[in-house]
Amino acid sequence: MILVVGSIALDSIETPHERAEDVLGGSATFICAAAAKLAPVGLVGIVGEDFPERYRRLFSDWGVDTAGLEVVPGRTFRWGGRYHSDMIHRDTLFTELGVFETFSPSVPESFRRAPYVALGNIHPDLQHHVLDQMEKPSWVVADTMKLWIDIARDSLERLLGRVDAIVVNDEEARQLTGQISLNAAAADLLAKGPSAVIIKRGEHGASLHNGSSLFSSCAFPLHKVADTTGAGDTFLGGLVGWVARSGGATAESIKQGIQIGSCLASFTVESFGVERLCSAGQGDLEERVSVLNSLSRVAEIAF
Ligand code: AMP
């Protein structure tokens, strides 16, 4: 089983073309939707009593074990964002913590021996608190965001010493280390503890740095980008889902997981929320993985 913790949100999103309100989002939501396509998942999270039943039902439809989902009086976490014309950069319009304000994640007894742990983007203190309750997981992967580097850097740096892998985007890698070169940033992050550093570069792909080798992957080429919210979380869900399905983290399963994560993220950006990701079947995923794998394959170059 993969234990997933993170936010469960109602998002209000404005893109240059469209807007949508109270869309199901949050880091844990996208991780679960992606990972559950590949392996059993248990969710630890919190929502308010206003959380729509139809959204709650989705988690069960995906086969996610929701024993660790608390429903408490109050409002569900809400986030609002407005995208720039590049659909990469965005401004946060509001963050309403609601029930998240007093959230202290409690891992159900039945999840504590989960071999895989995905620490989705939430305050690093909460990520620590989840890890404190786990019994020797074999692979822990964490995500974060600019906000936590700004306001909780010490806690985040300590977290790096407790995880096997960290997934960050290029801006976060530079901000965390002060390095300009992503290669140098990855080396600095590796020196802080994790044995794998995965750096996402949006539509330019992602790279794996593990100290002994470097792997670089393209993003799946798309024509239509509706909303990039949750692409990073979906990527993480695909990665951890594949590592779990492969029976453990090896350099090869992590590389394959990066390809799977990129393809699953390509579905997420084709719609608001999880709609397109949910409608993608295994055949759709296999097709995209095969295209992606073919993109940088060349015949041997003989001089
Ligand atoms: P991503 O586009 O991968 O960065 O993830 C976007 C998701 O992160 C949205 O669905 C938001 O609800 C969620 N989110 C935004 N800000 C926060 C925050 N401060 N803590 C936890 N989740 C957040």
Side-chain angles (χ1 to χ4, degrees):
M1 174 195 268
I2 305 164
L3 177 116
V4 173
V5 66
S7 57
I8 301 161
L10 297 176
D11 289 341
S12 293
I13 300 157
E14 290 178 30
T15 73
H17 310 287
E18 281 173 285
R19 58 194 296 165
E21 251 174 54
D22 284 351
V23 178
L24 176 61
S27 51
T29 300
F30 289 104
I31 297 171
C32 284
K37 287 181 184 288
L38 302 161
V41 171
L43 166 68
V44 170
I46 192 166
V47 292
E49 281 173 342
D50 59 348
F51 192 65
E53 181 52 34
R54 68 179 193 285
Y55 286 166
R56 226 204 116 136
R57 232 177 298 123
L58 277 180
F59 287 89
S60 317
D61 292 350
W62 303 332
V64 171
D65 185 337
T66 53
L69 176 64
E70 288 177 54
V71 185
V72 299
R75 273 165 70 79
T76 298
F77 176 80
R78 280 173 166 77
W79 175 80
R82 181 187 292 139
Y83 282 89
H84 300 188
S85 54
D86 61 6
M87 283 302 293
I88 297 168
H89 295 96
R90 68 186 179 202
D91 301 318
T92 291
L93 300 177
F94 61 84
T95 303
E96 275 178 36
L97 291 178
V99 294
F100 234 92
E101 199 144 6
T102 51
F103 181 42
S104 174
S106 169
V107 179
E109 185 58 42
S110 56
F111 291 2
R112 293 191 179 184
R113 264 169 237 99
Y116 304 98
V117 179
L119 302 172
N121 171 33
I122 42 170
H123 195 297
D125 286 354
L126 298 183
Q127 295 175 315
H128 277 288
H129 188 56
V130 165
L131 275 190
D132 291 342
Q133 297 169 65
M134 298 303 294
E135 289 174 26
K136 298 200 179 73
S138 63
W139 199 65
V140 180
V141 56
D143 189 10
T144 193
M145 74 189 294
K146 182 178 185 301
L147 174 68
W148 312 127
I149 306 173
D150 286 338
I151 69 170
R153 181 184 276 268
D154 285 355
S155 179
L156 186 57
E157 298 233 348
R158 268 188 294 112
L159 188 78
L160 289 175
R162 300 185 70 187
V163 301
D164 300 285
I166 177 92
V167 179
V168 285
N169 69 29
D170 42 4
E171 286 180 16
E172 292 156 357
R174 291 192 171 104
Q175 188 194 354
L176 252 172
T177 61
Q179 297 283 3
I180 294 167
S181 147
L182 290 178
N183 224 8
D188 283 8
L189 292 172
L190 284 170
K192 292 177 199 284
S195 53
V197 171
I198 293 130
I199 301 184
K200 299 169 291 179
R201 286 174 289 113
E203 63 178 328
H204 304 295
S207 52
L208 165 68
H209 309 253
N210 60 15
S212 54
S213 66
L214 171 64
F215 168 70
S216 179
S217 151
C218 306
F220 184 84
L222 281 177
H223 291 287
K224 178 192 165 203
V225 174
D227 169 26
T228 54
T229 307
D233 309 311
T234 306
F235 174 91
L236 174 59
L239 168 66
V240 70
W242 186 257
V243 165
R245 191 177 175 128
S246 311
T250 61
E252 206 49 45
S253 67
I254 296 175
K255 288 182 203 173
Q256 291 172 342
I258 288 174
Q259 301 288 84
I260 305 254
S262 298
C263 289
L264 287 171
S266 75
F267 293 117
T268 293
V269 306
E270 285 182 314
S271 74
F272 283 98
V274 291
E275 197 183 319
R276 176 69 186 109
L277 176 62
C278 288
S279 69
Q282 179 156 333
D284 302 316
L285 176 59
E286 281 177 16
E287 220 171 88
R288 289 198 178 183
V289 168
S290 144
V291 170
L292 190 62
N293 277 344
S294 71
L295 283 183
S296 44
R297 205 181 295 139
V298 292
E300 195 179 331
I301 301 174
F303 288 95

